[in-house]
Amino acid sequence: MFARFRRKRLNPVLRDLLQETHLSLNDFIYPLFIKSGEGIKKEVDSMPGVFQMSIDEVIKECEVLKSLGIYSIILFGIPDIKDSVGSDAMCEHGIIASSIRAIKEAHPDMFVVTDLCFCEYTDHGHCGVLDPILETVDNDITLTNLGKQAVVHAQAGADMIAPSGMMDGMITTIREALNGNGFSHIPIMSYSTKFSSAYYGPFRDVAESSPSFGDRRSYQMNPANRKEAILESLADEEEGADILMVKPALAYLDIVRDIKESSSLPLAVYNVSGEYSMLKMAGKAGVIDYEKVMMETMIGFKRAGADIIISYHAKEVAQLLKK
Ligand code: PBG
Ligand code: ZN
């Protein structure tokens, strides 16, 4: 006697009946990059299909997203003026606050998540205020500013705040700032386990956020560390995060599974820019069947334990799911 697994693979209807993991339109958050101006829709060379857009274009884009069944977006702002602290991010007239207000006015049914960090807003491209002696981000001064930024986002109408800077104590600080300003109902999705990854390369072109010196290894995690990856997420749960995240996704699916098993909180993965571009470029080169590889990758995220997928592929996935 031996097992006959193939008995259950013969009939396509039975195959579907027995499928263990499913993708849904509800799983996705779509990233948008916003610049000031009007009528701007500029494709990024390193990320075909991804654009820097002005607010009016983003409002049109939301219409397209809704027609595809996507109601969740995560916003990244590209300010006109950068300075040493990233003031634009904390200003109620800054690019991100203005965008949130305009989007929520035009599309109250859109769920607007904001990436909370300073790297797009600082002239040095690091994720907070610099400590001149250590030549890296000063954790605790940056915390104070993250609290301010969170309140500005919430006041503008953000539905969920997603801090991505990997500062210690960021969830405690942001939770307290939100609660103290009447926003105890606003959830925090923490980029709780974020690795220092070369997969962010193309993103830094779109978001114009490359560090002008050094790298982010003194705040983002070492890709080689598994136990620390779990501790990072559990610490954010302890601090009151509502949703955890692993970023990047593809090379870290073991970590996704580990965190899923260590915490009962919902878990997001960020299918980052480099992962997107690899599939796009390989598809364009005719090396892979782009759509099939994309769907297989998405199922892999879900199977590993992701509840939410933040992905530049979301629109294309939605089109395929609708078929
Ligand atoms: C900002 C931030 C980054 C990404 C999301 N938020 C870049 C970084 O940490 O350098 C990367 C997203 C992507 O690569 O798609 N801290
Ligand atoms: Zn950052």
Side-chain angles (χ1 to χ4, degrees):
M1 262 289 276
F2 51 86
R4 295 242 177 230
F5 290 104
R6 296 183 56 198
R7 260 198 304 255
K8 286 177 279 192
R9 291 180 198 144
L10 216 47
N11 183 299
V13 177
L14 182 56
R15 274 204 302 268
D16 284 351
L17 273 173
L18 297 177
Q19 178 162 331
E20 296 176 33
T21 310
H22 297 271
L23 274 180
S24 145
L25 278 173
N26 298 326
D27 300 332
F28 289 90
I29 302 180
Y30 187 66
L32 290 169
F33 299 93
I34 316 180
K35 246 186 149 81
S36 68
E38 234 174 284
I40 298 170
K41 190 170 176 188
K42 191 172 150 238
E43 193 166 18
V44 188
D45 289 341
S46 54
M47 296 181 76
V50 173
F51 299 82
Q52 294 180 334
M53 288 181 232
S54 50
I55 295 177
D56 55 324
E57 292 292 329
V58 164
I59 284 172
K60 284 191 235 163
E61 181 71 5
C62 288
E63 205 58 63
V64 175
L65 290 169
K66 289 202 288 188
S67 73
L68 289 168
I70 299 171
Y71 282 79
S72 307
I73 51 178
I74 181 161
L75 305 184
F76 296 90
I78 307 154
D80 288 333
I81 297 168
K82 306 189 185 216
D83 61 20
S84 63
V85 292
S87 310
D88 191 88
M90 295 178 281
C91 170
E92 58 174 317
H93 305 295
I95 183 67
I96 204 75
S98 312
S99 306
I100 301 164
R101 255 185 242 106
I103 294 168
K104 288 301 288 188
E105 191 180 325
H107 301 286
D109 51 350
M110 208 72 194
F111 187 75
V112 177
V113 186
T114 56
D115 180 272
L116 194 85
C117 200
F118 286 103
C119 45
E120 296 113 80
Y121 303 90
T122 51
D123 48 17
H124 45 74
H126 280 283
C127 299
V129 180
L130 292 183
D131 176 326
I133 295 159
L134 293 177
E135 291 191 327
T136 179
V137 177
D138 182 312
N139 195 84
D140 296 11
I141 296 175
T142 301
L143 286 183
T144 311
N145 289 354
L146 283 172
K148 286 185 199 160
Q149 196 187 357
V151 172
V152 167
H153 289 193
Q155 279 167 343
D159 295 301
M160 181 157 79
I161 307 288
S164 66
M166 287 296 281
M167 295 301 122
D168 292 324
M170 67 182 185
I171 304 305
T172 303
T173 310
I174 293 166
R175 188 71 272 162
E176 280 172 6
L178 289 172
N179 293 359
N181 286 276
F183 297 109
S184 57
H185 59 288
I186 298 292
I188 300 174
M189 174 169 73
S190 180
Y191 287 67
S192 49
T193 296
K194 179 174 176 181
F195 293 93
S196 178
S197 171
Y199 280 100
Y200 307 151
F203 172 93
R204 293 177 187 170
D205 294 340
V206 199
E208 302 178 8
S209 63
S210 291
S212 63
F213 67 91
D215 52 43
R216 304 206 204 289
R217 281 185 294 179
S218 74
Y219 41 104
Q220 299 179 349
M221 274 196 61
N222 180 342
N225 293 359
R226 172 179 176 224
K227 289 182 216 157
E228 188 188 6
I230 301 170
L231 287 175
E232 273 279 7
S233 272
L234 292 182
D236 283 8
E237 170 167 21
E238 193 81 359
E239 288 182 41
D242 299 283
I243 301 173
L244 302 176
M245 192 195 299
V246 174
K247 178 186 170 197
L250 209 42
Y252 298 89
L253 292 184
D254 54 331
I255 306 295
V256 174
R257 169 57 54 193
D258 284 334
I259 293 174
K260 190 66 195 171
E261 284 173 358
S262 310
S263 169
S264 298
L265 286 182
L267 182 59
V269 291
Y270 201 132
N271 172 215
V272 302
S273 55
E275 301 171 20
Y276 171 83
S277 298
M278 285 197 306
L279 299 201
K280 268 285 167 201
M281 299 308 179
K284 279 185 189 293
V287 177
I288 56 167
D289 180 329
Y290 172 75
E291 290 187 347
K292 287 211 174 103
V293 173
M294 172 177 77
M295 295 309 260
E296 187 176 328
T297 305
M298 298 300 135
I299 268 295
F301 297 152
K302 292 283 305 270
R303 195 193 58 241
D307 302 293
I308 296 173
I309 302 170
I310 305 171
S311 180
Y312 307 100
H313 296 290
K315 284 168 70 180
E316 293 168 302
V317 172
Q319 266 153 357
L320 291 176
L321 286 177
K322 284 199 154 198
K323 270 189 202 154

